[in-house]
Amino acid sequence: MHKPLLVLLASVVVSGCASQQQTLYAWGGYDESLHAYYKHPQERERFVDNLKTVVLQAEQEGRKVPPGIYAEYGYALYEEGQYGPAVGYFKKEHELWPESRILMDKMIRNAQRQGSRQPAAATGPAGAVAKGTP
Amino acid sequence: MTRHVPIAMRAPALILVAGLLGCAAHAPPPKDYSKFLAARPRSILVVPVVNNSVDVDAPVYFLSTLPVPVAERGYYVFPVNMVKRVLEDDGLSDASLVHQADATRLCNLFGADSVLFVTIQRWDAKYMVLTTKVTVQFEYALKDGRTGDTLWTEKRTMVYQPKQSSSGNGLADLVAAVVSAAVEKAAPSYMPLARQANAAAVRYPGPGFPAGPYSPLHGKDLPEPSSLAAAPPPAQGTGASPSPAPAGRP
């Protein structure tokens, strides 16, 4: 009946805190996803998918990918043995966030070292699946 | 009239209440920001938390709530899950060992300006027949990566207890209370409470710390010289105000 009034009221309540509701970054549920992963480690794939979505959405919208997210995603790929793509995301973190450079340089070196040890056949999605599902 | 709120609806309600409370003006407690302002960190390393509660899951669950509020203050926050794994690979899977480590060495390892140590003091749900009281308590300490000095500390306690609404029907109220207490006991609302605690801890002006380089408020929300507790009490005149020059890091 008084739906417009209700909506108005609700927006007043929300805008009253507007300065606190605005966020610098679009996190895309990163914290909930990390919590779910720690709660159910067997659902790691969901966590990795969420990281990928956060990255893609921010890139598509021309927004900054939140701090640490390129690196988290790169590290997830690193854990799956996808060293080439991992290096790519570590470099993106390095580029976007100068504060990350010392750590990213180390991770890039690690990933490249691991990648050079690895037989070519094991790289790519096949190797990832083999390691991703114990 | 619903007497007890389903689980799924409780968390948003809690957050809404927190949001509204957040609007209330709080006089910031007097804190010494002189070391923080001298260090002016750009990045914060969030390391795994020490758990002094009896809930073994608490530390990893709580860790997941830390990066977003800290990054939203305008600081670069290192990828928490990756940092956790890297520390584990280095033989530091015990968070208390990480917290005992030298802050400057830790920061050096990751190239961080500062490190945030958080300890869980409480993370429990007390079932009291007619109600369940959920309590979380955290201690936060930010340390400088160059000097090891403590730049900021805070302690936060949050309590949640399902509200008892009276319908006039004593028996119905009793049943509703018992059900609500049992539901809360089965799945205590730790996560929204933890998020509220973090939001309240880092808020500034308030008990938190000034905005970092990625916040539009950076450099605009610096504490008044009077709140630099290290400064001597003001003499009769205006006194020389130590203007904190925005030194920043190279």
Side-chain angles (χ1 to χ4, degrees):
Chain A
M1 239 175 17
H2 288 90
K3 216 172 176 186
L5 184 67
L6 270 176
V7 170
L8 184 70
L9 265 175
S11 67
V12 166
V13 168
V14 170
S15 64
C17 284
S19 60
Q20 296 196 340
Q21 309 264 325
Q22 278 172 3
T23 58
L24 291 178
Y25 312 104
W27 291 91
Y30 162 69
D31 55 339
E32 286 96 347
S33 164
L34 185 58
H35 173 235
Y37 169 47
Y38 286 151
K39 201 168 187 175
H40 308 287
Q42 70 277 17
E43 292 176 19
R44 179 179 179 279
E45 211 169 309
R46 278 194 182 178
F47 170 62
V48 181
D49 282 348
N50 176 264
L51 291 173
K52 188 178 182 179
T53 308
V54 176
V55 164
L56 289 178
Q57 272 183 356
E59 285 181 345
Q60 274 166 14
E61 290 165 13
R63 296 182 65 161
K64 261 189 168 181
V65 171
I69 300 297
Y70 275 136
E72 292 281 35
Y73 186 51
Y75 190 70
L77 298 173
Y78 175 93
E79 285 184 314
E80 293 171 5
Q82 300 196 57
Y83 301 117
V87 167
Y89 285 99
F90 291 148
K91 283 185 173 167
K92 286 190 175 197
E93 180 86 9
H94 183 285
E95 183 65 26
L96 186 60
W97 303 103
E99 296 80 6
S100 75
R101 286 186 181 164
I102 291 175
L103 180 59
M104 288 304 108
D105 283 338
K106 286 185 186 178
M107 296 311 296
I108 290 166
R109 279 199 302 273
N110 275 350
Q112 284 170 342
R113 199 183 312 130
Q114 298 282 350
S116 63
R117 267 184 216 161
Q118 196 177 44
T123 49
V129 170
K131 208 181 171 195
T133 48
Chain B
M1 274 295 177
T2 49
R3 290 192 198 89
H4 68 273
V5 185
I7 296 173
M9 288 183 66
R10 249 185 300 127
L14 262 176
I15 289 162
L16 180 63
V17 168
L20 294 175
L21 288 176
C23 292
H26 282 287
K31 275 192 183 181
D32 181 356
Y33 286 100
S34 51
K35 281 184 175 152
F36 187 94
L37 292 174
R40 296 295 291 277
R42 296 182 57 90
S43 64
I44 298 178
L45 177 72
V46 177
V47 292
V49 302
V50 164
N51 184 24
N52 288 339
S53 83
V54 291
D55 191 322
V56 292
D57 293 326
V60 281
Y61 291 1
F62 182 56
L63 183 66
S64 74
T65 68
L66 286 168
V68 173
V70 178
E72 286 292 331
R73 292 294 299 130
Y75 292 88
Y76 176 76
V77 173
F78 288 80
V80 278
N81 184 57
M82 189 187 119
V83 167
K84 179 177 178 289
R85 298 274 190 256
V86 167
L87 288 168
E88 284 166 1
D89 286 347
D90 282 0
L92 288 168
S93 46
D94 180 353
S96 59
L97 287 178
V98 178
H99 286 224
Q100 282 162 22
D102 186 36
T104 58
R105 282 190 58 201
L106 262 180
C107 287
N108 202 26
L109 189 65
F110 291 92
D113 290 344
S114 64
V115 53
L116 180 65
F117 296 108
V118 189
T119 300
I120 301 173
Q121 297 297 9
R122 289 193 58 185
W123 183 281
D124 53 71
K126 292 219 159 73
Y127 184 52
M128 299 181 284
V129 187
L130 288 184
T131 185
T132 294
K133 192 173 168 187
V134 186
T135 308
V136 294
Q137 186 179 66
F138 310 116
E139 284 176 13
Y140 308 78
L142 186 72
K143 294 199 176 175
D144 187 37
R146 282 190 297 199
T147 61
D149 286 347
T150 300
L151 302 179
W152 169 82
T153 61
E154 179 61 14
K155 185 173 181 175
R156 280 277 137 185
T157 309
M158 290 279 167
V159 179
Y160 172 70
Q161 203 164 354
K163 281 238 176 68
Q164 308 299 315
S165 57
S166 176
S167 68
N169 179 340
L171 182 63
D173 284 348
L174 189 68
V175 171
V178 170
V179 168
S180 153
V183 164
E184 187 61 28
K185 177 65 184 173
S189 329
Y190 294 123
M191 297 305 281
L193 273 186
R195 292 197 176 93
Q196 268 179 280
N198 293 337
V202 301
R203 188 174 58 239
Y204 190 86
F209 41 82
Y214 295 104
S215 164
L217 292 172
H218 183 54
K220 295 176 190 159
D221 64 348
L222 299 180
E224 295 292 313
S226 61
S227 71
L228 299 177
Q236 302 147 3
T238 49
S241 57
S243 57
R249 291 195 178 235

